[in-house]
Amino acid sequence: MLRCSLATSTHCMHRCRAVASASVALQAAARQARGLCLLKTCAYSHAAQHVRCTRHKSQQLQDKAPAAAYSFEQSLSRTGISVHAGIQRNASAARLYENALRYEPDTAISSTGALIARSGTKTGRSPRDKRVVEEASTVDDVWWGPVNKKLSEEAFAINYECAANYLNTRERLYVFDGYAGWDPKYRIKVRVICARAYHALFMNNMLIRPTQQELADFGEPDFTIVNAGQFPASRFTKGMTSPTSVAISFERREMVILGTEYAGEMKKGVFTVMHYLMPKAGVLSLHSSCNEGPDGDVSLFFGLSGTGKTTLSADPQRPLIGDDEHVWTENGVFNIEGGCYAKTIDLSAEKEPEIFNAIRFGSVLENVVFDQSTRSVDYTDKSITENTRCAYPIEYIPNAKIPCVGGNPKNIVLLTCDAFGVLPPVAKLTPAQAMYHFISGYTAKIAGTEEGVTEPRATFSACFGQPFLVWHPVKYAQMLAQKMQKHNVNVWLVNTGWNGGAYGIGKRISLKYSRAIIDAIHSGELEKAEYASYGVFNLQIPKAISNIPAKILDPSQAWEGSAEEFSGTITKLARLFQANFKDYADKATPEIIDAGPFI
């Protein structure tokens, strides 16, 4: 029998003894004892893990029977998870409610019927703890660096075994089998294995739910998420810098979560997988919202937090295809998800009635504060986190289009919230400019939103979703350019930020005006408009739009300070754009580089 290294073995044993003492049930205690034995005898030396990793690869390469030939129990046991009566597969929302309320602290039912859950100490994603396994089959594909940090195959095997052994000590386990992608040609089968009913219900909402027949024929999953978020990663494992680890192996088709119970890691883990697999299959994955007009005209909306992506894509006259993740194929677009994951901070029925009314039985509310007597949620309370959210099935939105598929887009809207007050409310972009601004992914943080922020601060996130990129940003941009050219798509830069001056001096562009701009895009008015050139950024801005004062369309005319102040501010922002783009210039074409601002 292989022996653990002393430090890691002791670390794991202490953790698991704490787990064992927490349960009083005789059956659970027996399982925990078996789990302790497994953890105690884990081989944590690099040599031993290399043997295990090699053995796993060898098994994967063996000829397999067709996926459907395996029963659910056989399929699950092949992952190292013990099959027992406490495993609940695709449990109903009602049953998951019962389990969460009984076994998970701080869980409640809101006054509108949603399940309220707490995600523990982590109330958001942990991008610094994300790792991608360095494997021969994918090493040349991945954009290595701050977004995709390398992890060895041996270290991943250690984390996987820790996660599996922890889950094998649990009296209750939850498995959800579902799909990512509404297009049957490109969808993948995803299996989630977890120990919290909250996590199971969350992924029941976020993945596409199979029919009973599809579940019976599910077979082997294409990708498996092993969520042992209650158990920490060991800092003795090479590559770990904290107790949290979110690691993906594309070769093993597995994701392992340790040390965080924030459910959003699973959602974005699936998107990261699709963000790799779809471009490899020749189709474009996008971090965007999407809606469709009455004539079938599709619009894509890109934007970072606070730009209005969710608000502006929610239009009662245009069915919603999806609010966050899509794929653009040769035939059109499809939503990756089966649900929505909406921010709820300051939510109200007046501002966003569709989201407000979607918070009912079956939905999951995360980290919200509620009245202990009435169970009414206070959406203005930020005492737990500002990142309060709700996950709900997409069919809870009245005008959602089911199935969530549409034709080829006619318009693409790149949203920014410019707190410097120098970008125009709307500009029509050339193909090269569209690529430049898509790769840049610009918005701005404003003073007071974070400690230490005393003036507008530029924020850049490549492709409007840098934390989820796997390939180099230019690959996504080039694929987008090809799609745009083939389908003659209009691309618009829409600024929902400040006008008349920077934050603190000017005013934020009225939502009424932003909606009027989007309406003018969809009606075709802006296609026929007369345009003028706009200075440093070399943008084309319309001279007039219905129901919008002409003055605000040109920031240089709307600026309330001196011409020198305006020139200094726009030059400052232009230099920030240029400095940011240096990271991508090595793979960008001269046309794209030249499409940026010039000083």
Side-chain angles (χ1 to χ4, degrees):
M1 181 179 295
L2 297 171
R3 295 181 179 178
C4 298
S5 65
L6 180 60
T8 308
S9 175
T10 304
H11 174 79
C12 288
M13 287 180 66
H14 283 322
R15 292 287 185 185
C16 291
R17 283 172 181 155
V19 169
S21 63
S23 177
V24 296
L26 189 60
Q27 184 180 15
R31 285 199 184 97
Q32 289 169 339
R34 290 196 297 272
L36 282 170
C37 182
L38 284 167
L39 285 173
K40 182 177 180 181
T41 58
C42 282
Y44 280 115
S45 70
H46 284 294
Q49 284 300 331
H50 180 72
V51 170
R52 284 194 173 142
C53 190
T54 304
R55 193 175 299 153
H56 180 93
K57 281 188 174 181
S58 177
Q59 182 179 352
Q60 282 190 320
L61 293 173
Q62 291 174 1
D63 291 334
K64 295 181 180 179
Y70 293 105
S71 68
F72 166 69
E73 291 77 12
Q74 289 172 322
S75 175
L76 190 62
S77 65
R78 286 162 55 86
T79 66
I81 300 298
S82 300
V83 178
H84 57 81
I87 293 178
Q88 301 177 34
R89 184 192 190 198
N90 287 52
S92 66
R95 189 175 183 185
L96 293 173
Y97 266 57
E98 292 169 358
N99 278 258
L101 292 167
R102 181 175 297 177
Y103 302 114
E104 299 177 18
D106 300 315
T107 304
I109 300 177
S110 78
S111 59
T112 61
L115 181 72
I116 298 174
R118 292 284 292 272
S119 66
T121 56
K122 298 277 188 175
T123 57
R125 291 182 297 102
S126 301
R128 293 180 181 178
D129 298 306
K130 174 190 168 185
R131 300 289 185 273
V132 175
V133 180
E134 184 180 12
E135 296 156 323
S137 60
T138 60
V139 67
D140 294 331
D141 296 339
V142 179
W143 181 42
W144 300 109
V147 173
N148 298 298
K149 299 176 184 177
K150 293 180 180 180
L151 185 70
S152 70
E153 296 174 75
E154 290 80 6
F156 184 86
I158 292 171
N159 283 358
Y160 186 94
E161 190 155 354
C162 269
N165 288 339
Y166 170 77
L167 293 174
N168 282 332
T169 69
R170 303 295 85 202
E171 183 177 1
R172 289 166 299 280
L173 282 184
Y174 307 93
V175 176
F176 183 77
D177 287 339
Y179 300 105
W182 281 86
D183 186 335
K185 181 178 178 180
Y186 293 103
R187 75 181 183 185
I188 67 169
K189 297 182 290 184
V190 179
R191 171 165 292 165
V192 179
I193 306 169
C194 56
R196 290 195 62 179
Y198 143 54
H199 289 157
L201 183 57
F202 177 93
M203 290 307 285
N204 172 81
N205 290 349
M206 297 314 302
L207 289 172
I208 299 165
R209 295 155 288 284
T211 64
Q212 286 299 315
Q213 187 59 53
E214 287 174 331
L215 188 60
D217 297 336
F218 197 80
E220 288 282 284
D222 298 312
F223 216 91
T224 300
I225 297 174
V226 180
N227 187 345
Q230 300 98 310
F231 193 85
S234 170
R235 295 195 184 192
F236 293 101
T237 303
K238 187 176 181 180
M240 298 298 101
T241 55
S242 82
T244 299
S245 174
V246 179
I248 294 175
S249 168
F250 290 111
E251 192 168 286
R252 289 176 55 147
R253 298 177 297 167
E254 293 166 343
M255 175 180 180
V256 175
I257 299 173
L258 293 168
T260 174
E261 297 176 61
Y262 180 66
E265 295 287 10
M266 295 182 289
K267 164 191 159 65
K268 288 306 185 185
V270 172
F271 181 53
T272 300
V273 170
M274 294 292 279
H275 230 14
Y276 174 70
L277 295 177
M278 294 299 100
K280 199 171 184 68
V283 292
L284 177 60
S285 46
L286 300 165
H287 189 223
S288 68
S289 60
C290 181
N291 65 23
E292 182 181 81
D295 297 326
D297 57 299
V298 170
S299 290
L300 293 172
F301 297 80
F302 295 87
L304 302 176
S305 179
T307 60
K309 180 180 70 170
T310 300
T311 301
L312 293 174
S313 62
D315 185 333
Q317 306 304 317
R318 297 176 64 86
L320 181 70
I321 293 175
D323 78 328
D324 198 39
E325 303 168 5
H326 293 85
V327 174
W328 191 349
T329 73
E330 64 278 8
N331 297 318
V333 295
F334 68 82
N335 189 354
I336 291 174
E337 301 181 295
C340 302
Y341 191 36
K343 287 186 177 180
T344 59
I345 198 70
D346 295 326
L347 179 68
S348 69
E350 294 74 28
K351 289 182 184 177
E352 296 178 276
E354 292 183 332
I355 295 175
F356 189 88
N357 293 327
I359 303 175
R360 57 182 194 262
F361 181 81
S363 299
V364 179
L365 276 168
E366 280 183 329
N367 301 316
V368 296
V369 177
F370 59 94
D371 187 285
Q372 295 295 321
S373 177
T374 66
R375 296 303 198 256
S376 295
V377 176
D378 182 357
Y379 293 112
T380 66
D381 195 317
K382 306 174 184 178
S383 58
I384 298 175
T385 178
E386 289 194 14
N387 190 35
T388 55
R389 290 190 177 255
C390 184
Y392 49 86
I394 194 165
E395 58 265 29
Y396 282 19
I397 297 296
N399 71 331
K401 184 183 180 186
I402 309 292
C404 302
V405 297
N408 288 297
K410 181 179 179 181
N411 290 289
I412 293 175
V413 179
L414 306 182
L415 294 162
T416 183
C417 176
D418 174 36
F420 293 87
V422 295
L423 288 185
V426 61
K428 187 173 184 179
L429 302 181
T430 66
Q433 287 175 328
M435 294 306 94
Y436 183 91
H437 287 278
F438 177 70
I439 293 171
S440 298
Y442 164 72
T443 193
K445 295 178 181 178
I446 59 175
T449 57
E450 292 183 8
E451 186 177 357
V453 178
T454 57
E455 61 179 9
R457 180 178 296 175
T459 299
F460 297 93
S461 184
C463 306
F464 295 93
Q466 182 167 312
F468 322 116
L469 301 181
V470 182
W471 303 86
H472 192 284
V474 171
K475 181 177 180 68
Y476 299 97
Q478 288 173 340
M479 294 182 72
L480 182 60
Q482 292 166 3
K483 293 283 189 184
M484 288 165 41
Q485 183 177 13
K486 181 177 179 180
H487 299 288
N488 195 28
V489 181
N490 297 312
V491 184
W492 313 89
L493 180 67
V494 174
N495 174 27
T496 61
W498 271 254
N499 188 264
Y503 174 80
I505 299 174
K507 294 181 180 179
R508 186 154 190 183
I509 297 168
S510 166
L511 177 60
K512 176 178 69 174
Y513 293 153
S514 294
R515 288 195 184 280
I517 289 169
I518 300 301
D519 289 343
I521 290 172
H522 289 148
S523 70
E525 178 184 346
L526 282 184
E527 275 193 88
K528 304 170 185 175
E530 186 179 352
Y531 287 84
S533 294
Y534 180 66
V536 172
F537 280 83
N538 194 28
L539 298 171
Q540 294 298 304
I541 60 175
K543 293 183 176 180
I545 301 177
S546 300
N547 303 315
I548 299 179
K551 182 180 178 180
I552 75 164
L553 296 176
D554 184 340
S556 65
Q557 298 299 315
W559 191 263
E560 296 179 0
S562 68
E564 290 76 14
E565 288 174 335
F566 178 83
S567 177
T569 303
I570 197 170
T571 299
K572 178 181 178 179
L573 182 59
R575 285 179 175 151
L576 291 171
F577 266 85
Q578 291 174 342
N580 172 73
F581 208 81
K582 287 179 181 178
D583 293 336
Y584 314 111
D586 61 326
K587 292 193 176 182
T589 64
E591 290 78 14
I592 294 176
I593 296 172
D594 291 342
F598 59 90
I599 301 171

